[in-house]
Amino acid sequence: MASSNIRHFCSSTLIFLLLPLLLQFYSGKSELQFNYYEQNCPRAEEIIKEQVIKLYNKHGNTAVSWIRNLFHDCIVKSCDASLLLETVNGIESEKASQRSFGMRNFKYVNTIKAALESECPVTVSCADIVALSARDGIVMLGGPRVEMKTGRRDSTESYGAVVEDFIPDHNDSISLVLSRFQSIGIDVEGTVALLGSHSVGRVHCVNLVHRIYPTVDPTMDPDYAEYLKGRCPTPDPDPQAVLYARNDRETPMTLDNYYYKNLLGHKGLLMVDQQLTSDPLTSPYVEKMAADNGYFHEQFSRAVVLLSENNPLTGDQGEIRKDCRYVNSN
């Protein structure tokens, strides 16, 4: 081969290999990566972990909140901390949506952010705080250690007006729930595993009284129905009152497969929970997870990673908020 042809071949090959990198640079988009903050804030992940542990020891339910935050933030368009924005200056907060009913502990996200800001100002995104606090919260609840990439950036807008288009309601059909998760790349097996997060925390009576009043749902275990009536004594509970039932009475603050065992015993708390056992697509996974906690944790980890990497803002997209509640004022 002539030397000019060799040079032409080599340069063409180099351009071909560099093209994806050049396109990525041009678009301002880059990929999430492990240890993203290794150079500019080496202790970032350790600081988040320290704060999650400290908060858990004072307020155990914060760990449950971190998992719910991840779901509510990431399933609505992007993992970009849009969930955390307050209603101000024309922004309609996602927290005001009916789908966000019962969510709490947002103030402690600010606690984690403050600890990071004191070490590395305007460096670690609120979106990565949402992801990594969920990762560490899962461990505090006895769940698996999930390896997560970082490098997410924060949105400059809220999606409050469209939250209900993305987050399923607890009364929705299981087919609709599956389709919502499928739209962000989570399969049936992964969806069943993610619903296992209902193994921890609690549900307000407002969301479950329709299953016990005026008559008990025939798919529900009668003894369990009596327990729920004890927790929720009226068919029209006050949404502001502290009236709730635990998702899992056996191990209420442990992320384990008792959730699936309860479903097989007709002790599903929400309509969407109990539907998992009657739908032919989901029931085999319920049985498998009920029988094998390790398998549940394995699938839960896989699904959490997929959820946490849904359409993130990276590169020069979005911003790094100074305060997770508000977009930066330029």
Side-chain angles (χ1 to χ4, degrees):
M1 186 182 291
S3 60
S4 61
N5 287 344
I6 292 173
R7 282 197 302 273
H8 177 73
F9 174 78
C10 290
S11 61
S12 298
T13 302
L14 184 62
I15 290 171
F16 176 77
L17 292 172
L18 286 176
L19 189 59
L21 187 63
L22 292 169
L23 288 172
Q24 177 176 295
F25 178 77
Y26 179 76
S27 68
K29 178 91 172 169
S30 59
E31 298 301 316
L32 299 180
Q33 61 190 67
F34 291 113
N35 304 312
Y36 177 81
Y37 298 105
E38 192 170 29
Q39 299 300 319
N40 57 1
C41 191
R43 289 195 66 248
E45 296 194 26
E46 190 61 32
I47 290 170
I48 293 173
K49 182 180 177 182
E50 288 169 1
Q51 291 298 316
V52 166
I53 293 171
K54 191 181 295 184
L55 287 164
Y56 175 80
N57 289 334
K58 287 184 182 176
H59 317 280
N61 60 27
T62 52
V64 181
S65 296
W66 306 148
I67 299 175
R68 192 173 178 192
N69 285 355
L70 182 74
F71 167 65
H72 279 253
D73 186 50
C74 291
I75 201 169
V76 180
K77 288 188 180 266
S78 168
C79 289
D80 57 8
S82 61
L83 169 70
L84 303 178
L85 291 171
E86 298 285 356
T87 297
V88 66
N89 298 332
I91 288 175
E92 178 189 347
S93 177
E94 294 173 29
K95 292 183 277 189
S97 166
Q98 188 57 36
R99 293 288 195 274
S100 301
F101 176 73
M103 294 186 76
R104 52 195 174 146
N105 293 320
F106 289 114
K107 63 185 177 182
Y108 297 124
V109 175
N110 305 329
T111 302
I112 299 172
K113 178 65 168 172
L116 288 162
E117 288 297 298
S118 66
E119 176 108 358
C120 318
V122 201
T123 302
V124 180
S125 70
C126 300
D128 276 339
I129 293 173
V130 169
L132 295 177
S133 62
R135 178 188 73 179
D136 296 330
I138 288 166
V139 174
M140 299 310 295
L141 294 167
R145 168 76 178 182
V146 182
E147 296 303 322
M148 277 191 185
K149 294 178 181 178
T150 41
R152 299 166 190 79
R153 288 171 64 86
D154 301 324
S155 72
T156 55
E157 61 181 321
S158 167
Y159 313 119
V162 296
V163 166
E164 295 187 12
D165 296 337
F166 291 88
I167 299 179
D169 183 65
H170 56 88
N171 287 324
D172 283 334
S173 68
I174 193 63
S175 59
L176 185 144
V177 172
L178 291 173
S179 71
R180 292 280 170 88
F181 280 98
Q182 183 65 49
S183 71
I184 63 167
I186 298 177
D187 58 17
V188 174
E189 190 175 21
T191 301
V192 175
L194 280 180
L195 283 168
S197 61
H198 288 178
S199 170
V200 292
R202 62 191 193 179
V203 171
H204 197 284
C205 290
V206 164
N207 289 331
L208 61 90
V209 286
H210 63 283
R211 297 198 68 208
I212 52 176
Y213 298 110
T215 57
V216 174
D217 183 332
T219 65
M220 184 181 287
D221 174 78
D223 291 337
Y224 187 59
E226 287 305 308
Y227 156 74
L228 293 180
K229 284 183 176 181
R231 300 296 305 177
C232 307
T234 65
D236 53 350
D238 178 358
Q240 303 304 316
V242 183
L243 293 167
Y244 63 87
R246 291 284 177 189
N247 289 347
D248 171 7
R249 293 162 67 193
E250 283 76 18
T251 55
M253 292 297 286
T254 304
L255 189 66
D256 60 18
N257 65 340
Y258 263 99
Y259 167 74
Y260 303 100
K261 294 177 182 180
N262 289 334
L263 294 187
L264 294 177
H266 302 283
K267 297 175 184 177
L269 196 53
L270 297 171
M271 188 72 77
V272 69
D273 297 323
Q274 201 55 56
Q275 284 184 76
L276 288 177
T277 61
S278 56
D279 188 282
L281 286 175
T282 55
S283 60
Y285 297 120
V286 171
E287 291 176 7
K288 194 172 178 183
M289 289 178 195
D292 188 342
N293 193 56
Y295 165 69
F296 160 55
H297 279 179
E298 178 186 305
Q299 293 305 315
F300 184 79
S301 297
R302 181 180 69 86
V304 163
V305 169
L306 290 171
L307 179 65
S308 73
E309 295 181 3
N310 179 39
N311 193 31
L313 303 180
T314 57
D316 61 6
Q317 298 176 314
E319 64 181 15
I320 304 297
R321 283 185 219 142
K322 297 172 187 174
D323 185 321
C324 293
R325 298 169 295 177
Y326 311 105
V327 298
N328 295 339
S329 53
N330 298 321

